[in-house]
């Protein structure tokens, strides 16, 4: 009998915020700890302001780095004027992951009711890199990680997961 082992991935975490620092960034801190507790490696962790070009610059650099397999962002997915993460990142996708945002909102409905319609959580693939964009709240990050992302970045998840896509053509 063969035991399947987790394939550890290199995952970067980006917090989009005008006000958070590494000390006050509970959501980015949680994602960092959670991915490492799951057996993955933190490739990088950054905070950028709610500026389309700052966000695109950081995501583009990580997408171009073939050693980074996945990116998780937190923040900037709501409806306030400064919430521009979807507009900044979605243009970089080779393929959107429509099911991510749909599933996130379905799960969130059970937790926060109809307020979930104000979440613009989304995901996509760019250069064989999975990008999952979550709201900035700690609870939203826990929901996204524990109920969706952790399983999809686990090579043992059946019937399918993203790991085989992320390791194609990467060093």
């Amino acid at each position: 009998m063969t035991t399947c082992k987790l394939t550890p991935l290199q995952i970067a975490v980006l917090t989009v915020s005008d006000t958070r620092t590494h000390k006050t960034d509970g959501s980015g801190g949680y994602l960092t700890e959670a991915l490492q507790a799951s057996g993955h490696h933190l490739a990088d962790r950054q905070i950028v302001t709610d500026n389309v070009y700052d966000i695109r610059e950081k995501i583009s650099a990580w997408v171009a780095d073939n050693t980074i397999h996945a990116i998780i962002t937190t923040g900037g997915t709501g409806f306030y004027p400064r919430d521009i993460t979807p507009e900044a990142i979605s243009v970089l996708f080779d393929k959107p992951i429509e099911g991510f945002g749909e599933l996130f909102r379905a799960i969130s409905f059970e937790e926060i009711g109809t307020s979930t319609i104000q979440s613009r959580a989304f995901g996509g693939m760019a250069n064989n890199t999975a990008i999952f964009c979550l709201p900035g709240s700690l609870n939203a990050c826990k929901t996204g990680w524990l109920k969706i992302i952790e399983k999809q970045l686990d090579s043992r998840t059946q019937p399918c997961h993203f790991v085989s896509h992320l390791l194609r053509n990467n060093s």
Side-chain angles (χ1 to χ4, degrees), residues 93-161:
F93 292 163
D94 299 321
K95 292 183 180 184
I97 305 170
E98 289 96 348
F100 175 71
E102 294 165 0
L103 182 56
F104 179 84
R105 283 180 285 281
I107 293 168
S108 293
F109 178 76
E110 299 302 320
E111 298 173 356
I112 63 171
T114 60
S115 294
T116 194
I117 68 168
Q118 293 192 37
S119 167
R120 297 190 303 149
F122 67 106
M125 295 288 291
N127 192 30
N128 297 322
T129 306
I131 304 170
F132 299 100
C133 301
L134 296 166
S137 81
L138 179 57
N139 285 340
C141 288
K142 287 180 179 180
T143 296
W145 176 260
L146 293 171
K147 297 188 178 174
I148 307 171
I149 301 169
E150 180 180 35
K151 293 169 181 61
Q152 284 300 296
L153 296 183
D154 187 329
S155 55
R156 302 165 295 186
T157 298
Q158 295 299 322
C160 59
H161 51 76

Side-chain angles (χ1 to χ4, degrees), residues 26-132:
S27 297
Y30 167 78
L31 291 168
T32 297
E33 291 173 13
L35 72 88
Q36 290 173 322
S38 293
H40 298 296
H41 304 287
L42 179 65
D44 196 5
R45 178 180 173 202
Q46 298 289 323
I47 298 175
V48 297
T49 60
D50 294 279
N51 176 288
V52 169
Y53 302 103
D54 291 343
I55 297 167
R56 281 186 193 154
E57 178 182 28
K58 181 48 61 187
I59 296 295
S60 294
W62 285 342
V63 165
D65 183 341
N66 284 338
T67 66
I68 296 177
H69 303 110
I71 300 165
I72 305 171
T73 75
T74 174
T77 62
F79 280 94
Y80 289 103
R82 299 283 294 158
D83 291 335
I84 44 80
T85 299
E87 292 76 17
I89 297 176
S90 61
V91 298
L92 302 175
F93 292 163
D94 299 321
K95 292 183 180 184
I97 305 170
E98 289 96 348
F100 175 71
E102 294 165 0
L103 182 56
F104 179 84
R105 283 180 285 281
I107 293 168
S108 293
F109 178 76
E110 299 302 320
E111 298 173 356
I112 63 171
T114 60
S115 294
T116 194
I117 68 168
Q118 293 192 37
S119 167
R120 297 190 303 149
F122 67 106
M125 295 288 291
N127 192 30
N128 297 322
T129 306
I131 304 170
F132 299 100

